[in-house]
């Protein structure tokens, strides 16, 4: 049975999807049609598209937009030929990519497009980032993103917005990943990454032009259980610099409430960094960031207090693992020496999981102050959120009580 299960994941699934697809929007005498072409790759003399869908046994196909245009109102779709994840170049692979490899890559690019100014690395697992970091050096950005959640990064998709150099490649080759994607790979890097036989090394030259994709929209399709389809325009953040963030204020029962402290430049930077990372995370979500690195990421929860607590708890656990690994070379859960474990626990407790001075980011408003209090009680000193709750005055008071600052984006960023 075990061998059968292993064989299941090695199977290359045939698909019966046709080579071309058209999606037409028709209004009276006006028809707008988008034309798509199925993508395939040749690996070990096998011509095949996606290996399989979300699970073995599910047929799947990847189509890229090759012609057509859609204009609804004043919103226009991204133009054909501006390819990213739908037109990848496989430099090394013992396997065809599967659906999850492509969707993880795509969501990594979705986040990366906002950070062209500095080397940035996004590590995605199950379509959510587990570590995001930007730095002046690509290797440093990779190591920080990896150590942000070393456990979840196992088998993930690593995406960088700079050409992979030898130092970064050596660091990547020390870990297990499914995919590494970058705009280019410096000479000698291929030999280093080849140490990982089944690592999918993907080159996407257009990553160098990712910033041109900011603000461009595409149509998202969600199929329903009865075959129905929901179509919507893709989400576009509207806050890109500190002038796009408003200091938190509101009026309640004739009284005006305003946060007393304006953010520092570093806090503004982390607010913007966190808000743009947040746009690629499944809702409900709350994340904590510090110094352009994710500290704790909470995803896909039904209540905001719960997700704030999950992100906090993850920050504590990941900090313990990171400190143990850096000091003793082993995971926290593998520490057998009680004295060493106590030292790690004391360090994590003293520094509150790295949350002291961090920024708290929420994809929607806090309906009550209890969710916000989770972060403030851990030493969070800045908050960015959409605002707009009837109880905004409560969260403003909560910040003022501890000297924290808060800004409103005026925009919700749910992602389902």
């Amino acid at each position: 049975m075990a061998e059968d299960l292993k064989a299941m994941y090695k199977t290359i699934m045939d698909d019966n999807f046709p080579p071309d697809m058209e999606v037409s929007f028709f209004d009276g005498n006006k028809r707008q049609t988008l034309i798509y072409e199925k993508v395939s790759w040749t690996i070990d003399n096998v011509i095949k598209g996606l290996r399989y869908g979300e699970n073995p046994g599910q047929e799947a196909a990847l189509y890229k937009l090759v012609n057509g245009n859609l204009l609804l109102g004043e919103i226009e779709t991204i133009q054909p030929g501006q390819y990213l994840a739908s037109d990848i170049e496989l430099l090394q692979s013992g396997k065809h990519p599967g659906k999850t490899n492509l969707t993880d890559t795509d969501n990594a690019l979705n986040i990366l497009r906002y950070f062209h100014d500095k080397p940035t690395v996004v590590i995605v697992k199950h379509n959510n980032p587990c570590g995001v970091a930007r730095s002046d050096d690509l290797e440093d950005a990779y190591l920080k993103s990896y150590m942000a959640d070393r456990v979840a990064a196992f088998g993930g998709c690593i995406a960088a917005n700079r050409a992979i150099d030898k130092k970064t490649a050596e660091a990547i080759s020390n870990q297990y990943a499914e995919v590494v994607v970058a705009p280019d790979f410096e000479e000698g890097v291929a030999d280093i990454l080849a140490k990982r036989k089944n690592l999918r090394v993907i080159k996407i030259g257009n990553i160098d032009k990712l910033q041109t994709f900011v603000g461009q929209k595409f149509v998202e399709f969600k199929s329903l259980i009865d075959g129905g389809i929901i179509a919507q325009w893709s989400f576009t953040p509207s806050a890109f610099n500190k002038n796009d963030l408003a200091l938190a204020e509101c009026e309640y029962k004739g009284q005006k409430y305003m946060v007393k402290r304006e953010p520092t430049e570093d806090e503004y930077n982390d607010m913007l960094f966190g808000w743009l990372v947040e746009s690629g995370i499944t809702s409900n979500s709350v994340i904590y960031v510090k110094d352009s690195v994710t500290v704790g990421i909470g995803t896909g929860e039904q209540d905001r207090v719960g997700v704030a607590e999950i992100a906090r708890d993850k920050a504590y656990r990941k900090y313990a693992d990171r400190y143990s690994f850096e000091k003793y070379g082993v995971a926290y859960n593998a520490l057998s020496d009680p004295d060493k474990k106590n030292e790690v626990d004391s360090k994590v407790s003293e520094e509150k999981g790295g949350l002291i001075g961090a920024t708290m980011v929420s994809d929607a408003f806090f309906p009550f102050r209890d969710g916000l209090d989770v972060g403030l009680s851990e030493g969070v000193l800045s908050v960015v959120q959409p605002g707009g709750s009837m109880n905004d005055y409560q969260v403003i008071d909560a910040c003022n009580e501890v000297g924290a600052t808060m800004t409103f984006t005026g925009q919700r960023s749910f992602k389902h």
Side-chain angles (χ1 to χ4, degrees):
M1 176 62 74
E3 288 302 316
D4 290 343
L5 290 174
K6 290 180 181 179
M8 171 179 68
Y9 290 101
K10 296 178 180 178
T11 301
I12 299 177
M13 186 78 185
D14 288 332
D15 76 77
N16 292 290
F17 287 93
D20 300 291
M21 177 177 69
E22 293 185 2
V23 177
S24 291
F25 294 80
F26 185 65
D27 179 14
N29 295 320
K30 183 180 180 182
R31 183 183 297 275
Q32 300 183 72
T33 301
L34 302 176
I35 301 172
Y36 299 82
E37 178 183 283
K38 191 162 74 168
V39 178
S40 63
W41 305 272
T42 301
I43 299 175
D44 294 335
N45 297 317
V46 176
I47 301 174
K48 178 70 179 73
L50 291 182
R51 186 178 185 86
Y52 45 68
E54 288 180 315
N55 299 288
Q58 283 181 265
E59 293 186 19
L62 169 66
Y63 290 90
K64 63 181 180 182
L65 180 63
V66 295
N67 207 344
N69 179 53
L70 179 64
L71 179 65
L72 301 176
E74 297 181 354
I75 301 177
E76 187 175 20
T77 55
I78 192 168
Q79 295 299 297
Q82 299 187 55
Y83 298 131
L84 287 167
S86 63
D87 190 30
I88 63 176
E89 181 181 351
L90 289 170
L91 302 185
Q92 169 195 317
S93 178
K95 301 177 181 178
H96 290 80
K99 174 184 179 291
T100 56
N101 299 134
L102 267 292
T103 52
D104 283 352
T105 296
D106 185 65
N107 199 31
L109 298 179
N110 174 43
I111 297 170
L112 267 184
R113 61 177 154 173
Y114 303 116
F115 303 116
H116 61 276
D117 58 327
K118 283 188 174 185
T120 305
V121 173
V122 180
I123 303 178
V124 171
K125 187 77 170 289
H126 298 304
N127 212 35
N128 271 306
C130 50
V132 183
R134 62 179 174 182
S135 176
D136 294 324
D137 175 76
L138 185 64
E139 181 192 20
D140 186 56
Y142 167 70
L143 291 173
K144 285 178 176 176
S145 64
Y146 174 73
M147 294 305 291
D149 192 340
R150 201 176 57 86
V151 177
F154 182 85
C157 169
I158 302 166
N161 65 349
R162 298 289 191 275
I164 302 293
D165 54 49
K166 288 185 177 180
K167 291 193 305 178
T168 306
E170 288 285 2
I172 291 172
S173 69
N174 289 328
Q175 326 302 337
Y176 170 67
E178 286 273 333
V179 177
V180 58
V181 56
D184 208 346
F185 298 84
E186 294 183 0
E187 186 176 350
V189 164
D191 293 335
I192 297 171
L193 296 178
K195 296 175 185 177
R196 292 289 181 176
K197 180 181 177 182
N198 288 324
L199 174 66
R200 297 168 175 89
V201 180
I202 295 176
K203 178 180 176 180
I204 300 179
N206 267 348
I207 291 179
D208 281 339
K209 302 174 183 176
L210 260 178
Q211 68 269 22
T212 65
F213 288 79
V214 174
Q216 295 199 53
K217 292 183 178 291
F218 54 87
V219 181
E220 295 179 337
F221 296 101
K222 168 63 178 177
S223 297
L224 305 179
I225 191 171
D226 62 358
I229 293 178
I230 296 173
Q232 68 170 9
W233 287 114
S234 57
F235 174 76
T236 302
S238 59
F240 297 102
N241 59 68
K242 70 178 186 179
N243 294 326
D244 298 326
L245 301 175
L247 278 177
E249 64 176 347
C250 72
E251 188 172 308
Y252 180 73
K253 292 187 176 180
Q255 181 177 345
K256 188 172 183 179
Y257 294 78
M258 178 178 290
V259 73
K260 295 178 180 178
R261 183 173 72 81
E262 185 172 352
T264 65
E265 285 301 311
D266 286 343
E267 287 172 332
Y268 268 126
N269 287 337
D270 276 348
M271 286 178 175
L272 291 166
F273 173 81
W275 179 248
L276 295 172
V277 169
E278 181 79 23
S279 68
I281 298 176
T282 305
S283 301
N284 273 338
S285 61
V286 164
I287 69 172
Y288 303 101
V289 302
K290 188 176 181 180
D291 300 328
S292 293
V293 182
T294 54
V295 177
I297 299 177
T299 70
E301 278 300 302
Q302 293 88 343
D303 68 282
R304 201 149 297 279
V305 179
V307 77
E309 292 171 337
I310 287 172
R312 174 202 62 195
D313 295 346
K314 286 176 69 175
Y316 270 73
R317 293 198 309 274
K318 307 310 177 181
Y319 190 95
D321 180 76
R322 180 168 73 251
Y323 183 71
S324 175
F325 188 78
E326 290 174 341
K327 182 152 189 182
Y328 300 115
V330 296
Y332 174 78
N333 290 336
L335 272 181
S336 56
D337 186 327
D339 291 334
K340 291 179 178 178
K341 205 157 194 173
N342 287 335
E343 181 198 343
V344 175
D345 290 342
S346 296
K347 176 81 170 177
V348 173
S349 177
E350 178 185 351
E351 300 194 13
K352 294 190 173 183
L355 291 171
I356 298 173
T359 295
M360 187 177 190
V361 187
S362 175
D363 56 13
F365 63 60
F366 291 97
F368 305 98
R369 64 171 286 171
D370 51 3
L372 179 61
D373 282 335
V374 173
L376 296 179
S377 65
E378 301 295 336
V380 163
L381 287 177
S382 56
V383 183
V384 59
Q385 54 124 330
S389 168
M390 292 180 62
N391 293 319
D392 276 345
Y393 72 98
Q394 291 183 7
V395 295
I396 291 173
D397 276 347
C399 284
N400 287 336
E401 287 170 11
V402 297
T405 185
M406 180 166 59
T407 62
F408 291 160
T409 65
Q411 178 189 35
R412 191 178 73 178
S413 67
F414 274 171
K415 181 177 186 287
H416 293 101

